[in-house]
Amino acid sequence: MTKVKRTYSSRSRLSLPSSSPSSSPSTTKRKHFGEGAENEPPTKKRITNKTSPSERSTKSKKSVLRQLHFSIETSVLRTCTICGLSYTRGAPDDESLHRAHCSRVQRGMEWGREEEREAGKVGVEEIQSAVKLKNGKKGRIICFKANVGGRIGSKLAILLETINLALSSPPLSTDILQSSKAYLYLIPSLTNVHREKIVGCVIAQRISTAMTVATPSETLLKGDSNQATDHELPPSSPTHRLVTVDTTSGLFCNPEALPTPLGIPRLFVPSAHRRQGIASRLLSAAAATFIHGCPLDPVNGDVAFTQPTEGGHAIMQNWGRGGVRIYEE
């Protein structure tokens, strides 16, 4: 007869209490509260995650998937018809920049008591007072160094940033600002008697040479020379050497550099105050006072513009009567 070996532990099993009514009194007493608690293991509480209906609805909302569609034909880039600034629609930084820029382009910036208190310290001069415009309003023209610091310098920096964005021009370098003066046209504010509006700005720079603007007859010959071949027109021809400044307005210059003392790199008037003679009055004030004791005459070629826009070209021709020159900034 074969003996079967036990492969499990020979340790005696723990006797479990019976569920029958005939269980021993000792096991029954353990069920009472407080009796033998020190010998019993701690009861493990079952942890349940209870979520409120509002939380369940929030989770269900977050898990909802949305399908996006690309609109290739519609561009997010917008160009404002008032200020001409292009910005990205829906971008908070771009929209904030556009709102501030568009407001300054339309209505201009303010000149208040803070600037007046600092004016004497930085050398702000009043060039003309009670200057009457075409609409009957009167204002004044002030002048100061373009590289001035302090509150007035910060005000001018914001103004130049607005002008550069409006004209799509690069910022003026430090060397240019050091040799320049800022001329501002101020009119009383309609909402605050202690503040004024900056409705015009001219930056006047000391330069050395500039080029004369080609006459309409020379420009016409330039157009004919573009249609001719190099064999038909010799390189020594005057029309062959004209410098192209702006083809849209038909602005060409003779390449010869002539002595010119005054340059105008920036000229700006807010859209709400244009066609009132502000630009011409600022230019006349700059030509008369830029060099102390030596008034300049634009008709004689003493003043030059940088590459002007279409509006700047019209002001240049009307104010200088054809004598204003062009220089490279």
Side-chain angles (χ1 to χ4, degrees):
M1 183 176 185
T2 308
K3 293 183 179 180
V4 181
K5 295 182 179 181
R6 297 174 62 184
T7 58
Y8 52 88
S9 175
S10 60
R11 188 170 50 187
S12 60
R13 295 182 180 178
L14 294 175
S15 59
L16 297 176
S18 175
S19 60
S20 62
S22 60
S23 58
S24 60
S26 60
T27 57
T28 306
K29 290 182 181 180
R30 290 179 185 175
K31 296 180 182 181
H32 294 286
F33 178 78
E35 296 184 8
E38 65 275 3
N39 297 326
E40 293 183 359
T43 305
K44 295 182 179 180
K45 295 182 179 180
R46 187 178 179 182
I47 300 174
T48 56
N49 295 327
K50 295 182 179 180
T51 56
S52 62
S54 60
E55 292 178 354
R56 286 196 296 269
S57 61
T58 305
K59 290 183 179 180
S60 62
K61 288 181 180 179
K62 290 182 179 180
S63 61
V64 175
L65 300 179
R66 297 181 180 179
Q67 185 176 3
L68 301 179
H69 300 272
F70 286 103
S71 180
I72 302 177
E73 297 179 355
T74 305
S75 175
V76 295
L77 192 65
R78 296 287 184 270
T79 301
C80 181
T81 57
I82 299 175
C83 65
L85 182 67
S86 298
Y87 64 99
T88 303
R89 184 180 181 182
D93 293 341
D94 278 22
E95 291 190 349
S96 176
L97 174 64
H98 168 252
R99 285 192 296 268
H101 173 74
C102 195
S103 176
R104 290 194 293 262
V105 168
Q106 293 181 73
R107 295 180 287 274
M109 298 177 63
E110 289 189 344
W111 183 277
R113 288 181 174 180
E114 299 83 1
E115 289 78 17
E116 280 299 320
R117 284 195 292 264
E118 194 179 331
K121 301 178 183 178
V122 297
V124 177
E125 300 179 13
E126 184 176 277
I127 304 301
Q128 294 178 5
S129 60
V131 183
K132 191 174 182 179
L133 300 177
K134 293 180 181 179
N135 58 3
K137 294 182 179 180
K138 293 182 180 181
R140 63 190 183 112
I141 298 176
I142 62 174
C143 171
F144 53 88
K145 288 284 186 179
N147 62 341
V148 69
R151 187 178 184 88
I152 295 178
S154 301
K155 178 80 69 175
L156 180 61
I158 298 174
L159 180 59
L160 287 178
E161 182 182 355
T162 302
I163 295 173
N164 293 331
L165 284 174
L167 302 179
S168 299
S169 302
L172 297 175
S173 64
T174 305
D175 296 336
I176 293 178
L177 293 176
Q178 288 178 353
S179 60
S180 303
K181 293 181 181 179
Y183 291 83
L184 303 182
Y185 196 106
L186 308 178
I187 61 173
S189 176
L190 299 178
T191 58
N192 193 337
V193 295
H194 301 292
R195 305 187 73 85
E196 295 173 293
K197 279 284 187 180
I198 303 175
V199 296
C201 175
V202 161
I203 303 296
Q205 175 193 2
R206 184 63 185 265
I207 61 175
S208 55
T209 59
M211 300 176 293
T212 59
V213 179
T215 61
S217 59
E218 291 175 336
T219 303
L220 183 61
L221 292 175
K222 172 69 175 177
D224 296 338
S225 67
N226 291 335
Q227 299 177 359
T229 61
D230 294 339
H231 298 287
E232 296 174 352
L233 188 65
S236 60
S237 175
T239 58
H240 187 77
R241 296 182 293 107
L242 289 182
V243 177
T244 303
V245 178
D246 187 13
T247 55
T248 56
S249 59
L251 183 60
F252 299 90
C253 292
N254 295 300
E256 184 181 1
L258 300 177
T260 308
L262 177 60
I264 306 295
R266 296 292 182 271
L267 167 62
F268 182 74
V269 176
S271 58
H273 303 279
R274 291 176 183 172
R275 302 186 183 279
Q276 301 296 328
I278 296 176
S280 60
R281 284 167 173 78
L282 283 172
L283 291 171
S284 298
T289 62
F290 183 76
I291 301 177
H292 182 71
C294 182
L296 304 175
D297 188 1
V299 180
N300 296 333
D302 295 335
V303 183
F305 280 33
T306 53
Q307 298 181 358
T309 60
E310 186 176 354
H313 186 199
I315 295 173
M316 182 181 71
Q317 295 296 328
N318 294 332
W319 175 70
R321 289 178 287 177
V324 177
R325 299 171 179 174
I326 300 293
Y327 77 102
E328 186 177 357
E329 186 178 310

